[in-house]
């Protein structure tokens, strides 16, 4: 009996290995590796009228207020504590307080943590992940894990998570896909496009437009923008987000305004540290170099491409390099 089971398991393993080799040999095209299910529903709206009464509801409401008016509560002059190093709000990137599809949406997050994170090379709780954004894009110091503010963020994330079903994926939970041009993204072309499409709100020097304790239009670089260690500083990541969300008054995920190439060029310009210095913080990220996102521009790299190519592309050769090793490039 034991023998038969062992044989069966053995046969299964051989079959499984054959499937892996077979699919890898057929995997030179990324779309073969990751088919898009056609029936993915769009993320539902989180109905703010449905926030429950009582103590938990109070925390959900405060969490939502923190997402929207982060600088007011916990900014450099925050009324609840001085944690952030700049006056941006979480909702500047996680639009509609983390509920807008294709805008670094946070509705699925609560159920997906603790989670292994390659950037830190360890398993993080959702609270620790919140602090990554407090310290990096907001250039601040971490919220104490038992603070009222952290509990409010987590309560809010649990509440927005209650509108989705855990065992399925949604349209809008991840970024919009972009196709990669054969040429590298160009900060020079990006500069002209930026002046044409972005400067009217974010200013010709990317400084944004301040208003009281925060901004009407947040800064894109300079001492009060996000840090180089932020995911927004990665050219592919930002380009995907820009495609669905900017210019603010023109783009929607259903009808993007920028072409993929324009979004990459603009992201290259915004994130070019040689023209746009940012708060200089040394983050020792990705302890395992083979887990690095391909658009993360600090070496050492596990592949043969230069730091410049990791930053600006062309990205397709990097993606193919990893696929030829039967591995999916992360970005
Ligand atoms: C400059 C833009 C920016 C700002 C401001 C920002 N974030 Fe983020 N945040 C990101 C990006 C980019 C990611 C990664 C998204 C991805 O990989 O698709 C992220 C990821 C997260 C995640 C993890 C989501 C997941 O499911 O893995 C959480 C939670 C989060 N942010 C919370 C916050 C909170 C709370 C604030 C305000 C204190 C904030 N963020 C401010 C850009 C920003
Ligand atoms: C009509 C004004 C307007 C235009 C034009 C515009 N933006 Fe924005 N942008 C905003 C607003 C408002 C936000 C904050 C969104 C929110 O809080 O919901 C924002 C947020 C951002 C953010 C995330 C927060 C930050 O400061 O890092 C980036 C990046 C960004 N815009 C880039 C661009 C780029 C690049 C362009 C040109 C393609 C552009 N925007 C055009 C109004 C604009």
């Amino acid at each position: 009996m034991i023998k038969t089971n062992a044989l069966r398991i053995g046969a299964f393993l051989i079959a499984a290995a054959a499937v892996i080799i077979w699919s890898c040999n057929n995997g030179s095209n990324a779309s073969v590796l990751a088919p898009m299910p056609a029936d993915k529903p769009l993320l539902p709206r989180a109905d703010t009228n449905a926030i429950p009464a009582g103590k938990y509801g109070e925390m959900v409401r405060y969490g939502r207020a923190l997402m929207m008016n982060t600088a007011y509560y916990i900014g450099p002059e925050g009324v609840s504590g001085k944690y952030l190093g700049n006056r941006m709000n979480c909702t500047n990137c996680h639009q509609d307080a983390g509920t807008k599809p294709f805008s670094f949406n946070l509705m699925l997050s609560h159920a997906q943590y603790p989670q292994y994170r390659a950037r830190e090379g360890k398993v993080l709780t959702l609270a620790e992940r919140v602090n990554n954004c407090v310290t990096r894009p907001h250039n601040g110091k971490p919220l104490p894990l038992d603070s009222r503010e952290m509990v409010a963020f987590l309560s809010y994330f649990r509440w927005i998570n209650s509108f989705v079903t855990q065992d399925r994926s949604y349209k809008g939970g991840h970024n919009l896909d972009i196709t990669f041009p054969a040429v590298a993204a160009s900060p020079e072309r990006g500069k002209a496009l930026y002046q044409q499409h972005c400067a009217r709100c974010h200013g010709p020097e990317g400084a944004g437009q301040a208003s009281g304790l925060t901004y009407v239009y947040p800064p894109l670089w300079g001492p009060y923008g996000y840090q180089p260690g932020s995911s927004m500083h990665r050219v592919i990541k930002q380009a995907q987000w820009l495609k669905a969300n900017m210019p603010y008054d023109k783009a929607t995920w259903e009808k993007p305004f920028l072409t993929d190439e324009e979004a990459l060029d603009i992201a290259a310009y915004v994130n070019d540290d040689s023209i746009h210095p940012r708060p200089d913080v040394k983050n020792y990220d990705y302890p395992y170099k083979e887990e690095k996102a391909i658009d993360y521009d600090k070496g050492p790299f596990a592949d043969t491409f230069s730091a410049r190519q990791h930053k600006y592309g062309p990205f397709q050769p990097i993606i193919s390099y990893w696929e030829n090793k039967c591995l999916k490039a992360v970005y």
Side-chain angles (χ1 to χ4, degrees):
M1 191 59 189
I2 290 166
K3 224 177 186 175
T4 341
N5 272 347
L7 279 175
R8 273 203 204 116
I9 292 167
F12 171 76
L13 286 180
I14 289 166
V19 168
I20 289 166
I21 291 164
W22 179 84
S23 59
C24 181
N25 284 341
N26 284 274
S28 57
N29 177 342
S31 64
V32 176
L33 285 176
M36 261 286 254
D39 66 334
K40 269 192 186 178
L42 184 63
L43 280 165
R45 282 180 57 82
D47 178 6
T48 47
N49 293 321
I51 299 178
K55 296 283 184 220
Y56 168 65
E58 215 173 275
M59 284 311 242
V60 172
R61 257 176 259 274
Y62 185 40
R64 188 175 164 84
L66 284 165
M67 289 294 296
M68 302 293 288
N69 303 303
T70 325
Y72 171 80
Y73 290 107
I74 57 171
E77 296 90 19
V79 297
S80 303
K82 298 173 179 34
Y83 292 99
L84 309 183
N86 62 38
R87 298 173 185 184
M88 285 170 48
N89 300 312
C90 311
T91 198
N92 292 160
C93 300
H94 304 284
Q95 287 184 51
D96 295 348
T99 65
K100 183 178 167 192
F102 298 103
S103 188
F104 302 142
N105 186 284
L106 300 175
M107 292 177 78
L108 301 162
S109 306
H110 186 266
Q112 292 176 347
Y113 282 79
Q115 181 189 111
Y116 177 74
R117 305 288 310 165
R119 188 169 63 181
E120 290 74 27
K122 61 181 188 189
V123 174
L124 297 189
T125 64
L126 185 56
E128 291 172 306
R129 182 65 187 83
V130 165
N131 271 337
N132 280 348
C133 275
V134 170
T135 54
R136 288 157 186 260
H138 288 284
N139 198 24
K141 54 177 200 274
L143 291 166
L145 298 182
D146 62 353
S147 60
R148 187 164 136 66
E149 285 62 38
M150 182 58 85
V151 175
F153 274 125
L154 298 181
S155 303
Y156 175 68
F157 294 143
R158 180 185 158 200
W159 178 73
I160 55 176
N161 187 246
S162 70
F163 291 86
V164 296
T165 310
Q166 305 315 329
D167 54 0
R168 67 177 316 166
S169 56
Y170 290 85
K171 219 190 293 176
H174 296 286
N175 287 347
L176 271 193
D177 281 333
I178 53 177
T179 44
F180 297 109
V183 293
S186 149
E188 293 72 33
R189 285 194 301 269
K191 181 177 183 180
L193 290 161
Y194 177 87
Q195 296 306 338
Q196 197 181 342
H197 299 302
C198 320
R200 68 190 160 94
C201 292
H202 293 286
E205 293 305 324
Q209 199 178 305
S211 162
L213 291 184
T214 184
Y215 296 92
V216 203
Y217 303 123
L220 301 188
W221 61 80
Y224 307 113
Y226 55 82
Q227 282 183 12
S230 312
S231 305
M232 194 56 126
H233 189 250
R234 286 163 39 197
V235 168
I236 300 178
K237 184 74 87 190
Q238 174 162 134
Q240 292 172 327
W241 184 88
L242 292 178
K243 181 178 172 181
N245 297 293
M246 290 293 144
Y248 190 69
D249 53 354
K250 292 194 171 152
T252 64
W253 67 269
E254 287 162 297
K255 209 164 172 288
F257 178 84
L258 302 170
T259 65
D260 293 4
E261 198 164 339
E262 286 171 341
L264 285 162
D265 287 344
I266 295 176
Y269 172 65
V270 169
N271 287 323
D272 185 332
D273 301 326
S274 66
I275 19 184
H276 298 145
R278 295 179 178 278
D280 182 23
V281 179
K282 304 267 176 292
N283 286 305
Y284 297 95
D285 287 335
Y286 295 100
Y288 309 108
K289 60 180 190 289
E290 60 283 1
E291 295 177 359
K292 245 172 223 190
I294 61 165
D295 56 340
Y296 184 80
D297 63 348
K298 304 275 181 302
F301 302 106
D303 55 33
T304 53
F305 300 93
S306 66
R308 195 177 166 81
Q309 186 160 354
H310 277 287
K311 187 164 180 93
Y312 299 116
F315 294 109
Q316 196 54 55
I318 308 181
I319 295 169
S320 303
Y321 171 95
W322 286 105
E323 277 175 8
N324 290 338
K325 292 190 178 313
C326 285
L327 293 167
K328 197 170 183 315
V330 179
Y331 55 86

